[in-house]
Amino acid sequence: MLAMGKEIEVAILFADVVGSTKLYELLGDVRARDMVGICIDVMRAATDQNHGTVIKTMGDEVMATFPTADDALNAAAQMQRQIVSHPQLKSTNRPLPSASAATRSVVLENRDIFGSAVHTANRMTVRRRPARS
């Protein structure tokens, strides 16, 4: 039996590793995956430390919710600072985080969220990504 969803107001944050495809091409699968994994760990920690909840990870991307837009923006700023300064990520091919957020009502169902705000926040992240070659 499926659980019925309930509508809640949250700030949604999508954060991803910009240029991860290029990292895999330049560094190889193992090293690039290690770097992306570190970035995901940093994104998870920043989410937790700013009152957020990681809803899911998808490859090089994290989708999280926060009680307020301020919490989401603080987490995004923390992600940026920590990834840029992380000692294991210092190289000429350093990954960079990109983040976008939207605050609106979503449907919470089975520990996942759905709705137009999710699509809006995700589209904003996609627009910031460089063209893939």
Side-chain angles (χ1 to χ4, degrees), residues 15-125:
D16 79 329
V17 180
V18 175
S20 63
T21 301
K22 194 73 166 169
L23 281 177
Y24 281 92
E25 292 170 2
L26 294 172
L27 302 177
D29 291 345
V30 173
R31 178 67 181 126
R33 180 63 195 126
D34 288 346
M35 291 179 85
V36 169
I38 291 167
C39 292
I40 296 293
D41 290 345
V42 168
M43 291 179 203
R44 281 183 177 279
T47 297
D48 291 343
Q49 293 165 11
N50 287 281
H51 317 291
T53 301
V54 172
I55 300 298
K56 62 178 127 183
T57 60
M58 301 150 286
D60 67 349
E61 186 173 273
V62 170
M63 180 173 73
T65 59
F66 295 84
T68 69
D70 284 347
D71 291 333
L73 294 174
N74 288 336
Q78 181 177 334
M79 291 172 191
Q80 179 76 28
R81 283 191 311 271
Q82 290 181 343
I83 288 173
V84 167
S85 66
H86 197 286
Q88 290 178 281
L89 300 175
K90 292 201 182 276
S91 76
T92 57
N93 302 307
R94 177 189 317 227
L96 296 173
S98 172
S100 61
T103 303
R104 296 210 328 241
S105 293
V106 297
V107 175
L108 174 65
E109 185 175 302
N110 296 326
R111 298 177 47 130
D112 202 349
I113 58 172
F114 305 91
S116 64
V118 176
H119 298 286
T120 300
N122 189 32
R123 275 195 309 270
M124 290 169 30
T125 302

